[in-house]
């Protein structure tokens, strides 16, 4: 764990008392259930006997243990069950007797073939919230097609607005197709829990990775509809605000984000470029966007006369949004990241510590993020069976 954790008395976590039976694997589903676990839910991860979650075999590895798996499965228990085996099915159904949520991210139709359709589950477990995460959802012509993050980034148009040119397609540098679906699933599950307080009934949640990518294309869809022009990749700059980009100073890159005309005037004052504030090409945000290339050249001519820390200090003092361009290695040591406890440590089954991203929702609770280490495959079987009286 981080040496410096919040010192306040821990508050009760919001999902304490909620039980999740977790059939998910790899990323979208485990990201969802890890957040539920971080927020206090009991998450029982049901894995395939022998191999477990596919993520256990995905690198990088720390002493033979997948760092990929470790980063998405803290605070969970593990039991290995074969849902085609009669005895294991009995255990699974006993788990559902006391579960609030069943989460899965199989290809649509998989659980139905095993006898666990929504209709069957709803009849037997009327309060159960059944969350299904898939590439394309439970309906539509593509609903039975497999998908990974790359597929939905490409099909959604996300890749078409990412990078520096249409001739070199570029995916977002993290698996945003999976992570967005995981986050939307958490929102949906918590909304269903709230509704169940009034109705006493569970419901089916149908979360599509492709849908979630489309939902993230706020500006791109609006621009297409408003202007009729197809959005293209434009690198680091903003499509409708300027100057709003990465800039090169004497010793490296940093970003400046000017959101209105008054901030642009302050920027010109800081850079001692008063003529720019009165230049007709840059008088308003719309004209600055039209002439953003010329404006960037003029700004960088000045910015390259001093190191970026010099400019950042002046811009921060004047209230112009700015920040360092950092690598991941630089980010993990940044004082703001450290102060907000956004890194935590999990321990592999072999005792090796591994630093991972933390949960941004837990800063104010005073709770440690890691209350249970990521489980070895089937690690909790004996305790779970004893609890079930089996």
């Amino acid at each position: 764990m981080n040496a410096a954790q919040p010192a306040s008395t821990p508050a009760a976590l919001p999902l304490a008392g909620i039980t999740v039976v977790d059939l998910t694997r790899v990323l979208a589903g485990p990201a969802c259930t890890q957040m539920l676990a971080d927020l206090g839910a009991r998450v029982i991860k049901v894995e395939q006997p022998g191999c477990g979650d596919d993520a256990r075999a995905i690198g990088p590895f720390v002493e033979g243990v997948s760092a990929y798996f470790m980063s998405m499965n803290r605070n969970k228990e593990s039991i290995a069950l074969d849902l085609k085996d009669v005895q294991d099915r009995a255990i699974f159904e006993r788990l559902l007797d006391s579960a609030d949520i069943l989460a899965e991210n199989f290809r649509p139709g998989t659980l139905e073939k095993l006898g666990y359709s929504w209709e069957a589950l709803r009849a037997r477990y009327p309060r159960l919230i059944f969350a299904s995460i898939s590439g394309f959802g439970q309906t539509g012509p593509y609903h039975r097609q497999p998908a990974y993050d790359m597929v939905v980034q490409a099909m959604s148009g996300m890749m078409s607005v990412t990078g520096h040119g249409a001739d070199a397609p570029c995916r977002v540098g993290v698996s945003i197709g999976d992570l967005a679906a995981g986050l939307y699933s958490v929102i949906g599950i918590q909304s269903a829990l709230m509704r169940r307080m009034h109705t006493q009934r569970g419901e089916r949640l149908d979360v599509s990775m492709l849908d979630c990518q489309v939902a993230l294309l706020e500006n791109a869809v609006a621009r297409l509809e408003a202007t009729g022009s197809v959005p293209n990749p434009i690198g680091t700059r903003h499509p409708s605000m300027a100057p709003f980009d990465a800039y090169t100073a004497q010793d490296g890159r940093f970003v400046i984000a000017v959101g209105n005309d008054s901030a642009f005037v302050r920027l010109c004052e800081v850079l001692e470029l008063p003529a720019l504030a009165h230049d007709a090409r840059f008088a308003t945000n719309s004209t600055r966007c039209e002439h953003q290339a010329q404006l960037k050249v003029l700004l960088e001519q000045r910015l390259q006369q001093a190191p970026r820390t010099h400019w950042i200090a002046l811009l921060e003092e004047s209230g112009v949004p700015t920040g360092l361009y950092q690598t991941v290695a630089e980010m993990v040591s940044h004082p703001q990241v450290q102060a907000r406890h956004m890194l935590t440590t999990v321990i592999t089954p072999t005792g090796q510590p591994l630093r991972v991203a933390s949960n941004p929702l837990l800063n104010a609770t005073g709770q440690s993020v890691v209350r249970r280490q990521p489980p070895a495959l089937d690690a909790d079987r004996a305790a779970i069976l004893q609890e079930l009286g089996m």
Side-chain angles (χ1 to χ4, degrees):
M1 301 295 294
N2 285 342
Q5 288 287 343
S8 58
T9 301
L13 289 170
L15 296 184
I18 297 297
T19 298
V20 181
V21 174
D22 179 11
L23 290 173
T24 70
R25 69 263 190 256
V26 188
L27 186 51
C32 165
T33 55
Q34 177 169 272
M35 184 162 289
L36 296 174
D38 286 350
L39 293 174
R42 180 188 185 188
V43 174
I44 302 171
K45 187 176 180 71
V46 177
E47 302 188 66
Q48 183 70 23
C51 58
D53 186 336
D54 293 346
R56 292 185 183 272
I58 300 174
F61 297 95
V62 178
E63 295 187 349
V65 178
S66 168
Y68 187 97
F69 175 86
M70 295 286 289
S71 71
M72 285 292 150
N73 287 282
R74 62 177 175 254
N75 298 326
K76 302 178 186 180
E77 303 165 45
S78 172
I79 185 170
L81 298 176
D82 180 354
L83 297 186
K84 296 179 181 179
D85 178 86
V86 173
Q87 292 183 334
D88 281 0
R89 286 171 66 92
I91 296 169
F92 177 66
E93 290 166 13
R94 286 288 297 277
L95 288 173
L96 292 181
D97 284 338
S98 57
D100 298 282
I101 299 155
L102 173 63
E104 60 95 9
N105 63 344
F106 294 116
R107 195 184 306 187
T110 300
L111 281 184
E112 284 81 352
K113 291 178 181 178
L114 292 168
Y116 298 115
S117 67
W118 169 232
E119 291 73 20
L121 290 169
R122 178 171 52 183
R124 183 167 177 180
Y125 314 102
R127 286 174 51 82
L128 184 69
I129 293 165
F130 181 23
S132 293
I133 307 169
S134 61
F136 301 105
Q138 304 298 310
T139 60
Y142 275 66
H143 78 281
R144 290 190 183 273
Q145 296 299 317
Y148 280 98
D149 170 79
M150 175 73 82
V151 175
V152 297
Q153 282 204 39
M155 291 182 64
S156 68
M158 182 68 72
M159 286 174 63
S160 78
V161 295
T162 303
H164 289 271
D167 294 332
C170 182
R171 69 181 284 273
V172 177
V174 297
S175 297
I176 195 169
D178 287 289
L179 297 174
L183 289 169
Y184 274 109
S185 297
V186 171
I187 296 168
I189 286 168
Q190 293 190 105
S191 298
L193 287 170
M194 291 291 291
R195 184 154 42 229
R196 193 182 70 176
M197 293 172 61
H198 303 288
T199 66
Q200 305 304 312
R201 303 286 295 181
E203 61 185 273
R204 176 74 178 276
L205 298 176
D206 174 12
V207 179
S208 154
M209 291 169 63
L210 179 62
D211 291 355
C212 295
Q213 288 303 280
V214 173
L216 295 182
L217 292 173
E218 32 70 71
N219 191 283
V221 173
R223 274 186 290 143
L224 174 65
E225 292 300 300
T227 69
S229 61
V230 179
N232 291 311
I234 55 175
T236 56
R237 72 179 178 87
H238 195 281
S240 52
M241 287 188 283
F244 206 106
D245 204 341
Y247 297 89
T248 302
Q250 193 177 72
D251 61 343
R253 295 186 183 94
F254 73 111
V255 297
I256 300 172
V258 169
N260 53 57
D261 294 341
S262 62
F264 180 66
V265 171
R266 295 199 304 275
L267 171 67
C268 294
E269 291 171 350
V270 167
L271 300 185
E272 299 179 351
L273 296 173
L276 291 187
H278 302 288
D279 191 314
R281 294 173 298 173
F282 314 132
T284 66
N285 181 65
S286 60
T287 58
R288 289 194 296 275
C289 287
E290 291 176 23
H291 301 94
Q292 60 81 26
Q294 300 97 307
L295 178 58
K296 185 169 186 176
V297 169
L298 294 171
L299 291 176
E300 288 193 327
Q301 287 175 352
R302 176 63 173 143
L303 293 170
Q304 290 171 13
Q305 296 174 15
R308 53 188 183 164
T309 52
H310 169 79
W311 298 120
I312 287 173
L314 294 177
L315 290 169
E316 287 178 341
E317 185 178 353
S318 69
V320 176
T322 183
L324 286 169
Y325 166 84
Q326 297 188 127
T327 66
V328 176
E330 291 167 331
M331 174 278 294
V332 297
S333 300
H334 194 277
Q336 181 66 18
V337 174
Q338 293 287 326
R340 297 286 292 178
H341 312 290
M342 274 311 301
L343 299 167
T344 191
T345 300
V346 293
I347 307 297
T348 71
T350 60
Q352 182 74 17
L354 177 70
R355 188 163 57 172
V356 296
S358 188
N359 187 318
L361 300 180
L362 294 182
N363 284 322
T365 68
Q367 293 277 14
S368 295
V369 175
V370 182
R371 301 179 301 281
R372 177 186 284 267
Q373 299 301 330
L377 177 61
D378 209 26
D380 302 284
R381 185 183 190 87
I384 290 171
L385 292 183
Q386 182 179 17
E387 179 184 340
L388 295 175
M390 300 180 74

